[in-house]
Amino acid sequence: MSGASDPLSVGVLGYGFMGRAHANALARLPMFFPDAPQTERAVLVGRDGDAVETAASRLGFSATATDWREVVDEVDVFYNLGPNHVHADPSIAALQADTHVLCEKPLARTLGEAAAMRDAARDAGAVAGCGFNYRYVPAIRLAKRYVEDGRIGDVRQFRGQYLQDWLADPDSPWSWRLDEGLAGSGVLGDLGAHTIDLARFLVGDSAGAIERVSGHLRTFVEERPAPDGEGTRPVTVDDAYTAQAEFETGAVGTFEGSRYARGHENDHRIEIHGSAGSLSFSLERLNELRYAGADDRGYERILVTGEDDPYGEAWWPPGHTLGWEHAVVHENYEFLRSIAGDGAFRPSFADGYAVQRVLEAIERADERGEWVAVDEISGEGVAAGNREE
Amino acid sequence: MSGASDPLSVGVLGYGFMGRAHANALARLPMFFPDAPQTERAVLVGRDGDAVETAASRLGFSATATDWREVVDEVDVFYNLGPNHVHADPSIAALQADTHVLCEKPLARTLGEAAAMRDAARDAGAVAGCGFNYRYVPAIRLAKRYVEDGRIGDVRQFRGQYLQDWLADPDSPWSWRLDEGLAGSGVLGDLGAHTIDLARFLVGDSAGAIERVSGHLRTFVEERPAPDGEGTRPVTVDDAYTAQAEFETGAVGTFEGSRYARGHENDHRIEIHGSAGSLSFSLERLNELRYAGADDRGYERILVTGEDDPYGEAWWPPGHTLGWEHAVVHENYEFLRSIAGDGAFRPSFADGYAVQRVLEAIERADERGEWVAVDEISGEGVAAGNREE
Amino acid sequence: MSGASDPLSVGVLGYGFMGRAHANALARLPMFFPDAPQTERAVLVGRDGDAVETAASRLGFSATATDWREVVDEVDVFYNLGPNHVHADPSIAALQADTHVLCEKPLARTLGEAAAMRDAARDAGAVAGCGFNYRYVPAIRLAKRYVEDGRIGDVRQFRGQYLQDWLADPDSPWSWRLDEGLAGSGVLGDLGAHTIDLARFLVGDSAGAIERVSGHLRTFVEERPAPDGEGTRPVTVDDAYTAQAEFETGAVGTFEGSRYARGHENDHRIEIHGSAGSLSFSLERLNELRYAGADDRGYERILVTGEDDPYGEAWWPPGHTLGWEHAVVHENYEFLRSIAGDGAFRPSFADGYAVQRVLEAIERADERGEWVAVDEISGEGVAAGNREE
Amino acid sequence: MSGASDPLSVGVLGYGFMGRAHANALARLPMFFPDAPQTERAVLVGRDGDAVETAASRLGFSATATDWREVVDEVDVFYNLGPNHVHADPSIAALQADTHVLCEKPLARTLGEAAAMRDAARDAGAVAGCGFNYRYVPAIRLAKRYVEDGRIGDVRQFRGQYLQDWLADPDSPWSWRLDEGLAGSGVLGDLGAHTIDLARFLVGDSAGAIERVSGHLRTFVEERPAPDGEGTRPVTVDDAYTAQAEFETGAVGTFEGSRYARGHENDHRIEIHGSAGSLSFSLERLNELRYAGADDRGYERILVTGEDDPYGEAWWPPGHTLGWEHAVVHENYEFLRSIAGDGAFRPSFADGYAVQRVLEAIERADERGEWVAVDEISGEGVAAGNREE
């Protein structure tokens, strides 16, 4: 561990898409957020020694490792960006060493794992964050500000749809993402987790917790051509899900996710209706928020690039748009600041667990064909068993 | 009854919004659809004799009546545009006299009534149509054509939302539309009926029947200021509903309706995702259909005003848009042509009953907190009892 | 001529697109605008006796004629909907008989003709209107109201583009519309006339007259395949034009028209920027007006179907959209009311002349390669000569 | 000068908005474009020693200087990001030392200066680039590819509008940007330069050079409140401009720029119509390109984030949007690669000069009130005189 004035040494597990996104975020902070704690990209961890060497060189890491066990207690901060099945053990080990952890979403494969991770975070003298980066899109934060400022009044309805298109063709080949064992989850876990997190973030303080849900999971195409061209392989995750929700205040919600929505590549759409106004957002136009207030006749488009907008001052003059990656930069900024500060980073592991509880409730509701109360769902009893698998 | 070559005499019950819409439709047919059967606006029916006189004069009716009983067997065609609680008896009486009937939606207050109406239609030597006019919006018909032509492939998902805003303000006054006894239904019956009908129309032939549903009905504001300013009155209908659906083929659907959606005045949004393409429609832009096919990178906007588009030839040159009322003209055209022709008008009373069965299933699903199979729902047993109330 | 309480007898020259649009308008007024003067579709005029008989039957006219000379002094009102080269003589003859005239746009083939028509209108005891129907689109009238109410402040810029696509393909066949002698004008006269009229209507009271213009006319494809497939025929009208303008107050404008704009079927786009706000309109979405005021962060979409919106009360409940033809109904309503009232209908023949003067200035500016002052243009000297051709 | 395998040392003049944008670009290349030549942020130049020290520390420069003369022949590459009046001399000095130069746009204050810079570039053994970064927006490059691939056919029309809103309020205070001496240019030079460059880039190869132009420059508010609150100060640059253009092939164009367009913060809109298709782009939605081809019924929205899209492979998975700054990263990548490669970077100083010649022609056309041939405009004769001022 380093002294107070040294840069925070960061160990990162994973060097794919998310590894690049976070390495980029760390690299950009000094220039744009000079008050962020200084960091050192210390160790990049991956199982394939050669590949991780190459990636480390490109992403600016000083060293590499092939076993996370060697790393989690040697660094100040551990980024767990690996696949879902390696979320729990390394994160818990790091937290037990009081190493700060940022773990990608969904928090874990199972609710049991998630509960164990939440508990480890609670017991650790370290910050534990869950990587729901869309909370850090400026337009989403502005939406949150509008809700908090009463500009939509009492929240009545939340509608979240995360739509992608890459599986629409039934002849497109099988991939590991379609295997539950390898991918950990399908659309509900992958896309739905983001939607539930935004629902909690945006209206959770106003409408209260999600109390009960219904659910519907579907696999439209049960088997797909094997990638090697020989025969087919089974699809064991959901291709799409839909859900209904009721919040504490009686506000209602609907959630959907799909990989079959042609015309939508990566479209996370959020709509909120309240007594005094509505908000609308689409991830494919992430610089924009649309707002219809009580005195408006329709939605007004807000280009969320102003100086007073969330993170607006850090970047470019008004009207100069940001991209997807900037949300990750903001997320890193807040996470690191939280380490240096009060440690109260959100979304926390408790948030990650709470999201997962809703996902689990949706799945059980689908199985049972009935609404399920979220607080009936618990990861406690199942934790041990699940983690053994 | 008139001879074969005489114009069809039409009796119309109701002279409000829908009375005007249909009178307008009848008046416009000769100029734009010269092959439509000729009609005579014979009798306008309403309880208030003076008011109905005034309306008849404006809407071009030759005579008036204050009791529908005197009319239903005197005219060739009976338009039942009255409030929901007068749908059943006059429509059944007319059909029993072999008078053709066009009845506004939803078909009836209760499933029992709807079943009786469906049976009367089945037994009558007359055409019975249910007024789901959105089937006759050109863009909706083009969407149907796209589905039939295989341009969206296998239907995977249907999403229908009917959003209005006129109740968003909790202090807006009570009206008769918020009383179940007077209005017959709330958002589910009023808006949801349209959505279910379009789901059946657009994807019913491809994805099959709606087999089971979940449901969620909510009244956000339980009482509202009385219109006379003294005290409050209770709201006894739903302000919003959400539902999930599963079709025969395994396709999934979500339905929503709301009167709390600021920024949306009368916005019926339909989205369909299939293996080969997606379709998107919004009633507030009813001349437009958006389509994303398998070879497209995103939605293409189609202005549905071409000569080859549904009803395109009847009106103006390409690029000259139509309005809401034109759907009603088309509906009247097809209904009257069906009388002169094969009598196979759709949506029929059987369609109206089928929609109502889904609505009833959604309501029961809400009450029970579980999915309900639509074919478990039947209006048979309850018909008599319901009609007595 | 008829007595004061008799319906106004209307004679109409032309039974194509515009004939149908105006016959429809006349037919719809009693139901929707009961305070409009009553009219009788008395005589339909066309050169082909059989064709005009058929049209008259369909459009509801009592009689037909093949020579307008027999009609113009027999009716109360004369609608001149013929091609541009028969605008002047019949309209002038009618006005000389104190018959009210509504003449389609552009007012005339030449500025000389237009001047003669304007003078005839000035000297007649009758109302003379020019058919710039887009002034009667509710969203355009709401835009005007916004300008008048100071909601855009001082007008700085006007941008008008009328975009169509039907000539984009260089191999599409020649038609009479591409012959100057037959069509009278190309894009500038056909589309540009609408744009100039809206500029005058919307900002003329605030920014003053259009004082000077530049111009650019282009024929992209000089000859096209003859319709009969044998050889080619020359295109003698412009395919596209662009122009710049300066208003009295120093406000600036740009105008464009094109038949080569794929993706735009009939898209008249208007944008106005002022010190306090901007307005934006597209004819393909004619129920919508977009407004960005001084306190707004972007455009707000207004669905112009409210009760307080222009002509909103006459039609359907809020959120039920209108079509292109409704503008023609409103135009007829105001024109006929003006006959019964103060006679001050706008756009008048003087407006039609003023528009034509700007068009002429644009054409001369193109020829000379320099800006041309509009008040330097006059139809006086050339009137006689032109009319002789 | 460094050896072949050493990183290129970069000296940068200016540390405001553009300084930050380019420093960021240089910092990001190794991670995302590993084949880019390596660079060292060697010297940051600015007149205020303390400020430049602070900036250098934040932007990652090894050293600072207060006089560009000490720098231009000491570094391998010189970025001239200073205000317009310091574009010429330092750039020329650098080129005379065979130091590569990237100079921000517009190339110079005057055409004379621009000519001298172009000549210096021609004579130097170094690469000289002009910072029209919008050429490097992926959607703009995709548009170029569509034009080159014949997907719009023969170019008929180009429409470019650069709309901002920050001066709409006549009471907003005076700033140095409104003084010609300090700012060098107003809307035409600042915004119009971008539009002309994109016109040349996108359709210049197909439609040929811009042969002649008209022009209109306007200052709507002649004086504004002094920033210190005492009295007013004169505005000596244009607030808005409009222009018309004719290309070599006869294609036509319109250009506009404004700082008075409320509702548009930084909206560079480009529309191109050709015989086979149309393209549409807006900078405020820079991840999107809209295309309407000959077989399409309307525009299709393309989210330009695919692997095969320009620079798509370098960044994130499809559907993950980029921001404004990425264009600058791409620009730096190509500029530096060109240094290591064939030196043929575009936009070159010759491009910068060509743009300026069109701007000058627009200005003269405005003064003279007539169209001006671009090739009549030359910076040669005026160069010396202008540079003396």
Side-chain angles (χ1 to χ4, degrees):
Chain A
M1 291 277 172
S2 52
S5 59
D6 291 332
L8 293 163
S9 67
V10 181
V12 172
L13 170 60
Y15 49 87
F17 169 29
M18 276 299 147
R20 291 204 301 139
H22 285 280
N24 174 58
L26 292 171
R28 303 189 70 191
L29 286 174
M31 201 177 282
F32 294 94
F33 293 87
D35 63 326
Q38 293 190 42
T39 59
E40 185 208 347
R41 277 162 274 162
V43 196
L44 187 63
V45 188
R47 280 189 302 188
D48 178 336
D50 288 345
V52 76
E53 286 279 359
T54 306
S57 155
R58 181 161 172 184
L59 300 178
F61 284 82
S62 319
T64 65
T66 54
D67 188 345
W68 55 263
R69 285 169 192 83
E70 298 161 17
V71 175
V72 291
D73 57 356
E74 292 299 316
V75 293
D76 298 316
V77 187
F78 178 66
Y79 280 26
N80 189 338
L81 316 177
N84 300 350
H85 67 272
V86 293
H87 281 187
D89 290 343
S91 295
I92 291 170
L95 288 168
Q96 284 169 345
D98 284 345
T99 299
H100 308 289
V101 177
L102 183 64
C103 181
E104 264 311 316
K105 48 61 58 181
L107 192 57
R109 269 177 308 181
T110 64
L111 192 59
E113 280 185 351
M117 291 171 78
R118 177 204 56 186
D119 293 346
R122 184 194 56 211
D123 299 339
V127 179
C130 184
F132 290 114
N133 54 297
Y134 294 139
R135 289 196 185 199
Y136 291 99
V137 170
I140 291 292
R141 289 195 96 74
L142 186 63
K144 167 84 163 168
R145 195 188 286 174
Y146 271 49
V147 174
E148 283 172 352
D149 291 353
R151 298 182 72 160
I152 71 154
D154 294 330
V155 173
R156 302 297 190 200
Q157 297 185 255
F158 180 94
R159 187 178 300 119
Q161 296 151 359
Y162 203 141
L163 305 179
Q164 298 184 339
D165 63 356
W166 56 280
L167 281 182
D169 183 350
D171 298 326
S172 72
W174 184 92
S175 92
W176 66 270
R177 288 174 159 280
L178 306 183
D179 181 89
E180 189 176 16
L182 298 172
S185 61
V187 167
L188 179 63
D190 185 25
L191 304 183
H194 276 302
T195 307
I196 305 300
D197 184 64
L198 284 192
R200 294 183 71 250
F201 177 62
L202 289 170
V203 306
D205 294 333
S206 313
I210 296 170
E211 289 204 328
R212 60 188 190 105
V213 292
S214 72
H216 198 192
L217 276 70
R218 278 287 298 158
T219 304
F220 295 121
V221 174
E222 305 276 353
E223 51 185 26
R224 288 178 173 272
D228 59 9
E230 305 203 1
T232 62
R233 296 190 62 174
V235 175
T236 53
V237 300
D238 51 301
D239 286 334
Y241 86 95
T242 69
Q244 298 169 283
E246 184 165 310
F247 293 80
E248 229 171 302
T249 60
V252 305
T254 53
F255 311 130
E256 290 193 44
S258 176
R259 291 166 174 168
Y260 275 74
R262 286 193 190 274
H264 307 261
E265 269 186 84
N266 191 32
D267 200 6
H268 200 183
R269 303 192 297 189
I270 303 290
E271 293 179 329
I272 303 171
H273 305 308
S275 56
S278 288
L279 288 166
S280 174
F281 170 82
S282 158
L283 184 61
E284 292 188 353
R285 288 179 172 165
L286 64 73
N287 292 280
E288 301 179 25
L289 181 66
R290 295 194 308 136
Y291 172 66
D295 298 329
D296 297 327
R297 295 196 53 183
Y299 284 95
E300 169 188 338
R301 190 189 80 147
I302 299 166
L303 195 66
V304 190
T305 57
E307 281 176 20
D308 296 333
D309 287 324
Y311 306 110
E313 220 178 347
W315 300 103
W316 317 109
H320 292 75
T321 56
L322 300 182
W324 168 86
E325 72 191 55
H326 292 83
V328 183
V329 178
H330 305 153
E331 177 194 33
N332 275 261
Y333 170 61
E334 300 292 359
F335 177 69
L336 295 167
R337 265 218 314 187
S338 176
I339 288 173
D342 64 1
F345 180 75
R346 302 285 298 271
S348 64
F349 274 25
D351 289 311
Y353 172 78
V355 167
Q356 212 127 335
R357 211 156 73 134
V358 177
L359 300 181
E360 179 85 12
I362 289 171
E363 235 178 304
R364 291 205 201 161
D366 176 46
E367 286 157 18
R368 295 188 202 161
E370 63 185 26
W371 287 73
V372 167
V374 175
D375 65 11
E376 160 198 321
I377 304 293
S378 155
E380 313 311 320
V382 293
N386 275 344
R387 294 190 58 212
E388 272 165 16
E389 63 177 13
Chain B
M1 288 280 171
S2 53
S5 60
D6 291 332
L8 293 164
S9 67
V10 181
V12 171
L13 170 61
Y15 49 87
F17 169 29
M18 276 298 146
R20 291 204 301 139
H22 284 279
N24 174 57
L26 292 170
R28 304 191 69 191
L29 285 174
M31 200 176 283
F32 294 94
F33 293 87
D35 63 327
Q38 292 190 42
T39 58
E40 185 208 347
R41 277 162 275 163
V43 196
L44 187 63
V45 189
R47 281 187 301 188
D48 177 338
D50 288 345
V52 77
E53 285 280 359
T54 306
S57 154
R58 180 160 173 183
L59 300 179
F61 284 82
S62 318
T64 65
T66 54
D67 189 343
W68 55 264
R69 287 170 191 81
E70 298 161 16
V71 175
V72 292
D73 56 357
E74 294 297 317
V75 293
D76 299 316
V77 187
F78 179 66
Y79 280 26
N80 189 338
L81 315 178
N84 300 350
H85 67 273
V86 293
H87 281 188
D89 289 342
S91 296
I92 290 169
L95 288 168
Q96 285 170 346
D98 284 345
T99 299
H100 308 289
V101 176
L102 183 64
C103 181
E104 265 310 316
K105 48 62 55 181
L107 192 56
R109 268 177 308 181
T110 65
L111 191 58
E113 281 184 352
M117 291 171 77
R118 178 203 57 187
D119 293 346
R122 184 194 56 211
D123 299 339
V127 179
C130 183
F132 289 114
N133 55 298
Y134 293 140
R135 287 196 185 200
Y136 291 99
V137 170
I140 290 293
R141 289 195 96 74
L142 186 63
K144 167 84 163 166
R145 195 188 285 174
Y146 271 49
V147 173
E148 283 171 352
D149 292 353
R151 299 182 72 160
I152 71 154
D154 295 329
V155 173
R156 302 297 190 200
Q157 297 184 254
F158 180 94
R159 188 179 298 119
Q161 295 151 0
Y162 204 142
L163 305 179
Q164 298 184 338
D165 63 355
W166 54 281
L167 281 182
D169 183 350
D171 297 327
S172 71
W174 185 93
S175 90
W176 66 270
R177 288 174 160 280
L178 305 183
D179 181 90
E180 191 176 15
L182 299 172
S185 60
V187 167
L188 180 62
D190 184 27
L191 305 182
H194 276 302
T195 306
I196 304 301
D197 183 64
L198 284 191
R200 294 183 72 249
F201 176 64
L202 289 170
V203 307
D205 294 333
S206 313
I210 295 170
E211 289 205 327
R212 59 188 190 104
V213 293
S214 73
H216 197 193
L217 277 71
R218 278 288 299 160
T219 305
F220 295 121
V221 174
E222 304 278 351
E223 51 186 26
R224 287 178 175 271
D228 59 9
E230 304 203 1
T232 63
R233 295 191 61 175
V235 175
T236 53
V237 299
D238 51 302
D239 285 333
Y241 86 96
T242 70
Q244 296 169 284
E246 185 164 308
F247 293 81
E248 230 171 301
T249 61
V252 305
T254 53
F255 310 130
E256 291 192 45
S258 176
R259 292 168 174 166
Y260 276 73
R262 286 192 189 275
H264 307 262
E265 269 186 84
N266 191 31
D267 199 6
H268 199 183
R269 303 191 297 190
I270 303 290
E271 292 179 330
I272 303 171
H273 305 309
S275 57
S278 288
L279 288 167
S280 174
F281 170 82
S282 158
L283 183 61
E284 292 188 353
R285 288 179 172 167
L286 64 73
N287 291 280
E288 302 180 24
L289 182 66
R290 294 193 311 136
Y291 172 67
D295 298 329
D296 297 327
R297 296 194 55 184
Y299 285 95
E300 170 189 336
R301 190 190 79 148
I302 299 165
L303 195 67
V304 191
T305 57
E307 282 177 19
D308 296 332
D309 287 323
Y311 306 109
E313 220 176 346
W315 300 103
W316 316 109
H320 292 74
T321 55
L322 300 181
W324 169 85
E325 72 191 55
H326 292 83
V328 182
V329 179
H330 304 153
E331 176 194 34
N332 275 261
Y333 170 60
E334 301 292 357
F335 177 69
L336 295 168
R337 265 217 315 185
S338 177
I339 288 173
D342 65 0
F345 179 75
R346 302 284 298 272
S348 64
F349 273 24
D351 288 313
Y353 172 78
V355 167
Q356 212 127 335
R357 210 156 73 135
V358 177
L359 300 182
E360 179 85 13
I362 289 171
E363 234 177 304
R364 290 205 202 159
D366 176 46
E367 286 157 20
R368 296 186 202 161
E370 64 185 26
W371 287 73
V372 167
V374 174
D375 66 11
E376 160 198 321
I377 303 293
S378 154
E380 313 312 320
V382 293
N386 275 344
R387 293 189 59 212
E388 272 164 16
E389 65 176 11
Chain C
M1 290 278 170
S2 54
S5 59
D6 292 332
L8 293 164
S9 66
V10 181
V12 172
L13 170 60
Y15 49 86
F17 169 30
M18 276 299 147
R20 291 204 301 139
H22 284 279
N24 174 56
L26 292 171
R28 304 190 70 193
L29 285 174
M31 200 176 283
F32 293 95
F33 293 87
D35 63 326
Q38 293 190 43
T39 58
E40 184 207 349
R41 277 162 274 162
V43 197
L44 187 64
V45 189
R47 280 188 302 187
D48 177 337
D50 288 345
V52 76
E53 286 280 359
T54 306
S57 155
R58 180 160 172 183
L59 301 178
F61 283 82
S62 318
T64 66
T66 55
D67 189 344
W68 55 264
R69 286 170 192 82
E70 298 161 16
V71 175
V72 291
D73 56 357
E74 293 298 317
V75 293
D76 298 317
V77 187
F78 179 65
Y79 279 26
N80 190 337
L81 315 177
N84 299 350
H85 67 272
V86 293
H87 281 187
D89 289 344
S91 296
I92 290 169
L95 288 168
Q96 284 170 346
D98 284 346
T99 299
H100 308 289
V101 177
L102 183 64
C103 181
E104 264 311 315
K105 49 61 56 180
L107 193 57
R109 269 177 309 180
T110 65
L111 192 59
E113 279 185 351
M117 292 172 77
R118 177 204 55 186
D119 292 347
R122 183 194 56 212
D123 298 339
V127 179
C130 184
F132 290 115
N133 56 297
Y134 293 139
R135 288 196 185 200
Y136 291 99
V137 170
I140 290 292
R141 289 195 96 74
L142 185 64
K144 167 85 161 167
R145 194 188 286 173
Y146 271 49
V147 174
E148 283 172 352
D149 291 353
R151 297 182 73 160
I152 70 153
D154 295 328
V155 173
R156 302 296 190 201
Q157 298 185 254
F158 180 94
R159 188 178 299 119
Q161 295 151 0
Y162 203 142
L163 305 178
Q164 299 184 339
D165 62 355
W166 55 281
L167 281 182
D169 183 349
D171 298 325
S172 72
W174 184 93
S175 92
W176 66 270
R177 289 176 158 279
L178 305 184
D179 181 89
E180 189 175 16
L182 298 171
S185 60
V187 167
L188 179 63
D190 185 26
L191 305 182
H194 276 302
T195 307
I196 305 299
D197 184 64
L198 284 191
R200 294 183 72 249
F201 176 63
L202 288 170
V203 306
D205 293 334
S206 313
I210 296 170
E211 289 204 328
R212 59 187 191 104
V213 293
S214 72
H216 197 193
L217 277 70
R218 279 286 299 157
T219 305
F220 295 121
V221 174
E222 304 277 352
E223 51 185 27
R224 287 177 174 273
D228 59 9
E230 305 202 2
T232 61
R233 295 191 60 175
V235 175
T236 53
V237 300
D238 51 302
D239 285 334
Y241 87 95
T242 69
Q244 297 169 283
E246 185 165 309
F247 293 81
E248 229 171 303
T249 59
V252 306
T254 54
F255 311 131
E256 291 192 44
S258 177
R259 291 166 173 168
Y260 276 72
R262 286 192 190 275
H264 307 261
E265 269 186 84
N266 191 31
D267 200 6
H268 200 182
R269 303 190 298 189
I270 302 291
E271 292 179 330
I272 303 171
H273 305 308
S275 56
S278 288
L279 288 166
S280 174
F281 170 82
S282 158
L283 184 61
E284 292 188 353
R285 288 179 172 166
L286 64 73
N287 291 280
E288 301 180 25
L289 181 67
R290 294 193 310 136
Y291 172 67
D295 298 329
D296 297 327
R297 296 196 54 184
Y299 285 95
E300 170 189 337
R301 190 189 79 147
I302 300 166
L303 195 68
V304 191
T305 56
E307 282 176 19
D308 296 333
D309 286 324
Y311 306 110
E313 220 177 346
W315 300 103
W316 316 109
H320 292 75
T321 56
L322 300 182
W324 169 86
E325 71 191 55
H326 292 82
V328 183
V329 178
H330 305 154
E331 177 193 32
N332 275 261
Y333 170 61
E334 300 292 358
F335 177 68
L336 295 167
R337 265 218 313 186
S338 176
I339 288 173
D342 65 1
F345 180 74
R346 302 285 297 271
S348 65
F349 273 24
D351 289 313
Y353 171 79
V355 167
Q356 213 129 333
R357 210 156 73 135
V358 177
L359 300 181
E360 179 86 12
I362 288 171
E363 233 177 306
R364 291 208 202 158
D366 176 45
E367 287 156 19
R368 296 187 202 161
E370 64 185 26
W371 287 73
V372 167
V374 175
D375 66 12
E376 160 197 323
I377 304 294
S378 155
E380 314 310 323
V382 293
N386 275 344
R387 293 189 59 213
E388 273 164 15
E389 66 178 8
Chain D
M1 289 278 171
S2 54
S5 60
D6 292 331
L8 293 164
S9 67
V10 182
V12 172
L13 170 60
Y15 49 88
F17 169 29
M18 277 298 148
R20 290 204 302 140
H22 285 279
N24 174 57
L26 291 170
R28 303 191 70 190
L29 285 174
M31 200 176 285
F32 293 94
F33 293 88
D35 64 326
Q38 292 190 42
T39 58
E40 185 208 347
R41 278 162 273 162
V43 196
L44 187 64
V45 189
R47 280 188 301 188
D48 177 337
D50 288 344
V52 77
E53 287 279 358
T54 305
S57 154
R58 180 160 172 183
L59 301 178
F61 284 83
S62 317
T64 65
T66 54
D67 189 344
W68 55 264
R69 285 170 193 82
E70 298 161 17
V71 175
V72 290
D73 56 356
E74 292 299 316
V75 292
D76 299 315
V77 188
F78 178 66
Y79 280 26
N80 189 338
L81 316 177
N84 299 349
H85 67 272
V86 292
H87 282 187
D89 289 342
S91 295
I92 290 169
L95 288 167
Q96 285 169 346
D98 284 346
T99 298
H100 308 289
V101 177
L102 182 65
C103 181
E104 264 311 316
K105 48 63 54 179
L107 194 56
R109 270 176 309 181
T110 65
L111 191 59
E113 279 184 352
M117 291 169 78
R118 177 204 56 187
D119 294 346
R122 183 194 56 211
D123 299 340
V127 179
C130 183
F132 289 114
N133 55 297
Y134 293 139
R135 288 196 184 199
Y136 291 98
V137 170
I140 290 292
R141 289 196 96 75
L142 186 63
K144 167 85 163 168
R145 194 188 286 173
Y146 270 49
V147 174
E148 283 172 353
D149 291 353
R151 298 183 72 160
I152 70 154
D154 295 329
V155 173
R156 302 297 190 201
Q157 297 184 254
F158 180 93
R159 188 178 300 118
Q161 296 151 0
Y162 204 142
L163 304 178
Q164 298 184 338
D165 63 356
W166 54 281
L167 281 182
D169 183 349
D171 298 326
S172 72
W174 185 92
S175 91
W176 66 270
R177 287 174 160 281
L178 306 183
D179 181 89
E180 190 176 15
L182 299 172
S185 60
V187 167
L188 180 62
D190 184 26
L191 304 182
H194 276 302
T195 306
I196 304 300
D197 184 64
L198 284 191
R200 295 182 71 250
F201 176 64
L202 289 170
V203 306
D205 294 334
S206 313
I210 295 170
E211 288 204 328
R212 60 187 190 104
V213 293
S214 73
H216 197 192
L217 277 71
R218 278 287 299 157
T219 305
F220 295 121
V221 173
E222 305 277 352
E223 51 186 26
R224 286 178 174 272
D228 59 8
E230 305 202 1
T232 62
R233 295 191 61 175
V235 175
T236 52
V237 299
D238 51 302
D239 286 333
Y241 86 96
T242 71
Q244 297 169 284
E246 185 165 309
F247 293 81
E248 230 171 301
T249 61
V252 305
T254 52
F255 310 131
E256 291 192 44
S258 176
R259 291 167 174 167
Y260 276 72
R262 286 192 189 275
H264 307 262
E265 269 187 84
N266 191 32
D267 200 7
H268 199 183
R269 303 191 298 190
I270 303 290
E271 292 179 329
I272 303 171
H273 305 310
S275 57
S278 288
L279 288 167
S280 174
F281 170 82
S282 157
L283 184 61
E284 292 188 352
R285 288 178 172 167
L286 65 73
N287 291 280
E288 302 179 23
L289 182 66
R290 295 194 309 136
Y291 171 67
D295 298 328
D296 297 326
R297 296 195 55 185
Y299 285 96
E300 170 189 337
R301 190 189 79 147
I302 299 165
L303 195 67
V304 191
T305 56
E307 281 177 19
D308 297 332
D309 287 323
Y311 306 110
E313 220 177 346
W315 301 103
W316 317 108
H320 293 74
T321 56
L322 300 182
W324 169 86
E325 72 191 55
H326 293 82
V328 182
V329 178
H330 304 153
E331 177 193 35
N332 274 261
Y333 170 61
E334 301 292 358
F335 177 69
L336 295 167
R337 265 219 313 189
S338 176
I339 289 172
D342 65 1
F345 179 75
R346 301 285 297 272
S348 65
F349 273 24
D351 289 312
Y353 172 78
V355 167
Q356 212 128 335
R357 210 156 73 134
V358 177
L359 300 182
E360 180 85 13
I362 289 170
E363 234 177 303
R364 290 205 203 161
D366 176 46
E367 287 157 18
R368 295 188 203 160
E370 65 185 26
W371 286 73
V372 167
V374 175
D375 65 12
E376 161 199 320
I377 302 294
S378 154
E380 314 311 321
V382 293
N386 274 345
R387 294 189 59 215
E388 272 166 14
E389 64 176 13

